[in-house]
């Protein structure tokens, strides 16, 4: 642990006293190049399946930094099933944040949405639900009809929405991914990897943390209590610190899960793909999360706005400039 502190201090000292300072009109320099730094020991990422996972693919990452803590066939292209909806939810949340839609907006149900099979709440073309209710149905019971209704409302058609999904996947570096639909029902060529699922899960949780208002619901209802909802992710009820995120299963994809949890400021995302049974899906997600919480801890070195040092500026408009952290400096370390 001590040697990592030395490394960080060395970088600070080097940057302060060796790198040249020449500022003309500012009194503060925002120090951001070391934010969200991840410091670990020389122990390599576990990639030999020493946890003896039965699932076809799996990955564990630290949420804030994206650091991979464990991986097993992380880039194998597999069918994601309803874990696909993480990307759909991400685009809905972006639309909310941009003001394109509001939680109170009422969303109509088209014939196409009403005809969806698989998980659904049996939308009727004569009814409308709010965006808030749609999100609840999608996150808690993986409603395909609500997913399609939202996609059509946002982009005019599911095909246009899927184009936007793939564009976002490319932006996030999801190079193993090709989306063919917005819901995850089996379709040839509709594939992703556990690594890519961890990327979009992290994007959703970091930039839209309010989504956990929905993903942590265990039981709820819609339509004035007439439609009961029970979360498909049993970890929400049984795993300490669980924050989400999304289940998925079909006869071809088998059983998938992106599971997120936070304990003692350490946030983890565990992805399981192609588990042979629902029981294995949940038990192996727990095994990954337990591995992370047992072997890693999370430390904060500086907060946003903290002044590192006041430095003299030669020939500047101001004689001194403050080095200020633009974002928090934090890191995960492997426990000894």
């Amino acid at each position: 642990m001590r040697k990592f502190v030395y490394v960080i201090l060395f970088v600070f000292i080097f940057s302060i006293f060796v790198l040249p300072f020449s500022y003309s009109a500012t009194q503060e320099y925002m120090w951001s190049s070391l934010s969200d730094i991840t410091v670990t020991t020389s122990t390599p990422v576990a990639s030999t399946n020493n946890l003896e996972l039965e699932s076809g693919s799996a990955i564990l990452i630290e949420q804030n930094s994206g650091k991979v803590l464990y991986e097993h066939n992380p880039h194998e292209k597999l069918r994601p099933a309803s874990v696909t909806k993480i990307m759909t939810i991400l685009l809905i949340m972006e639309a909310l944040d941009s003001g394109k839609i509001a939680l109170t907006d009422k969303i109509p149900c088209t014939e196409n949405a009403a005809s969806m099979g698989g998980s659904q709440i049996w939308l009727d073309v004569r009814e409308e639900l709010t965006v808030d209710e749609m999100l609840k149905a999608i996150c808690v019971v993986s409603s395909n009809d609500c997913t399609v209704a939202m996609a059509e409302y946002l982009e005019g058609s599911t095909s246009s929405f899927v184009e936007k999904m793939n564009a976002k996947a490319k932006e996030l570096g999801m190079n193993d991914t090709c989306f063919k639909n917005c819901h995850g029902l089996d379709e040839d060529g509709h594939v992703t990897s556990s690594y890519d699922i961890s990327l979009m899960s992290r994007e959703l949780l970091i930039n839209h943390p309010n989504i956990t208002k929905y993903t942590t619901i265990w039981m709820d209802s819609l339509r004035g209590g007439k439609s009961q909802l029970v979360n498909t992710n049993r970890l929400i009820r049984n795993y300490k610190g669980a924050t989400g995120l999304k289940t998925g299963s079909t006869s071809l994809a088998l059983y998938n899960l992106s599971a997120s949890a936070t304990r003692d400021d350490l946030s983890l995302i565990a992805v399981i793909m192609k588990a042979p049974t629902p029981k294995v899906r949940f038990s192996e997600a727990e095994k990954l999360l337990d591995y992370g919480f047992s072997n890693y801890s999370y430390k904060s070195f500086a907060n946003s706005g903290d002044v590192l040092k006041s430095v003299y500026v030669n020939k500047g408009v101001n004689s001194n400039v403050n080095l200020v952290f633009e974002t928090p400096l934090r890191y995960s370390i492997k426990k000894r």
Side-chain angles (χ1 to χ4, degrees):
M1 174 63 189
R2 183 177 299 173
K3 65 180 180 181
F4 301 123
V5 175
Y6 288 161
V7 170
I8 293 171
L9 291 176
F10 173 77
V11 173
F12 289 162
I13 294 170
F14 177 84
S15 302
I16 295 170
F17 296 108
V18 179
L19 294 179
F21 286 91
S22 181
Y23 302 100
S24 58
T26 181
Q27 294 184 354
E28 290 189 343
Y29 174 74
M30 302 302 291
W31 184 278
S32 60
S33 63
L34 290 178
S35 62
D36 288 321
I37 188 170
T38 299
V39 180
T40 64
T41 65
S42 59
T43 305
V45 173
S47 58
T48 58
N49 198 22
N50 56 13
L51 293 182
E52 299 181 348
L53 303 180
E54 295 180 53
S55 302
S57 175
I59 196 168
L60 175 71
I61 69 167
E62 194 274 305
Q63 179 180 303
N64 289 296
S65 66
K67 173 70 176 179
V68 177
L69 308 181
Y70 187 96
E71 58 185 14
H72 169 55
N73 299 331
H75 292 287
E76 184 173 353
K77 296 180 180 180
L78 297 168
R79 297 173 186 264
S82 283
V83 177
T84 297
K85 294 185 177 79
I86 293 174
M87 180 59 80
T88 301
I89 295 167
L90 174 58
L91 295 182
I92 294 173
M93 295 303 290
E94 288 187 344
L96 283 167
D97 286 354
S98 69
K100 183 177 181 179
I101 58 173
L103 287 173
T104 54
D105 288 350
K106 291 187 176 181
I107 310 301
C109 173
T110 65
E111 291 283 355
N112 184 38
S115 68
M116 294 304 302
S119 302
Q120 56 186 305
I121 63 166
W122 307 103
L123 280 178
D124 189 284
V125 293
R126 295 166 296 182
E127 74 174 323
E128 295 179 332
L129 295 182
T130 64
V131 173
D132 178 71
E133 293 170 320
M134 289 282 187
L135 272 173
K136 187 184 295 184
I138 295 169
C139 293
V140 178
V141 295
S142 197
S143 171
N144 290 328
D145 41 5
C146 290
T147 299
V148 171
M150 283 299 309
E152 291 177 330
Y153 184 80
L154 285 171
E155 296 300 326
S157 68
T158 54
S159 59
S160 295
F161 189 82
V162 171
E163 287 181 9
K164 195 166 183 179
M165 291 171 68
N166 283 312
K168 188 66 178 182
K170 184 176 180 180
E171 176 188 324
L172 295 178
M174 296 169 61
N175 299 322
D176 305 323
T177 298
C178 178
F179 292 119
K180 295 289 187 176
N181 59 61
C182 59
H183 42 69
L185 292 177
D186 287 323
E187 188 171 342
D188 288 345
H190 184 83
V191 294
T192 188
S193 65
S194 60
Y195 177 80
D196 283 5
I197 290 173
S198 75
L199 292 181
M200 64 178 178
S201 299
R202 178 175 181 261
E203 177 75 9
L204 177 61
L205 288 166
I206 286 181
N207 291 319
H208 310 280
N210 287 339
I211 194 59
T212 58
K213 168 188 172 183
Y214 301 96
T215 59
T216 56
I217 293 172
W218 173 240
M219 296 181 68
D220 210 324
S221 63
L222 294 172
R223 298 167 173 142
K226 295 179 180 179
S227 298
Q228 298 300 310
L229 308 177
V230 180
N231 205 315
T232 56
N233 180 7
R234 75 182 192 194
L235 297 188
I236 296 303
R237 184 182 187 185
N238 300 330
Y239 194 82
K240 179 184 176 183
T243 57
L245 191 59
K246 190 71 195 72
T247 62
S249 64
T250 68
S251 59
L252 296 179
L254 300 183
Y255 299 93
N256 303 331
L257 172 66
S258 178
S260 57
T262 298
R263 293 180 185 175
D264 298 324
D265 296 325
L266 177 64
S267 296
L268 302 176
I269 298 171
V271 180
I272 294 291
M273 297 192 75
K274 206 172 183 180
T277 67
K279 181 178 180 180
V280 170
R281 165 177 63 183
F282 291 117
S283 66
E284 295 198 341
E286 288 187 31
K287 186 182 290 188
L288 283 176
L289 292 171
D290 286 346
Y291 170 84
F293 288 126
S294 297
N295 289 279
Y296 291 86
S297 61
Y298 190 71
K299 302 295 181 183
S300 179
F301 190 81
N303 296 316
S304 177
D306 284 355
V307 176
L308 175 63
K309 188 176 179 64
S310 180
V311 180
Y312 173 73
V313 179
N314 186 31
K315 297 181 180 179
V317 173
N318 299 301
S319 58
N320 290 84
V321 62
N322 289 334
L323 297 184
V324 179
F325 287 93
E326 182 179 19
T327 56
L329 176 64
R330 49 201 181 184
Y331 54 90
S332 57
I333 61 172
K334 199 170 191 307
K335 296 178 182 178
R336 291 185 179 273

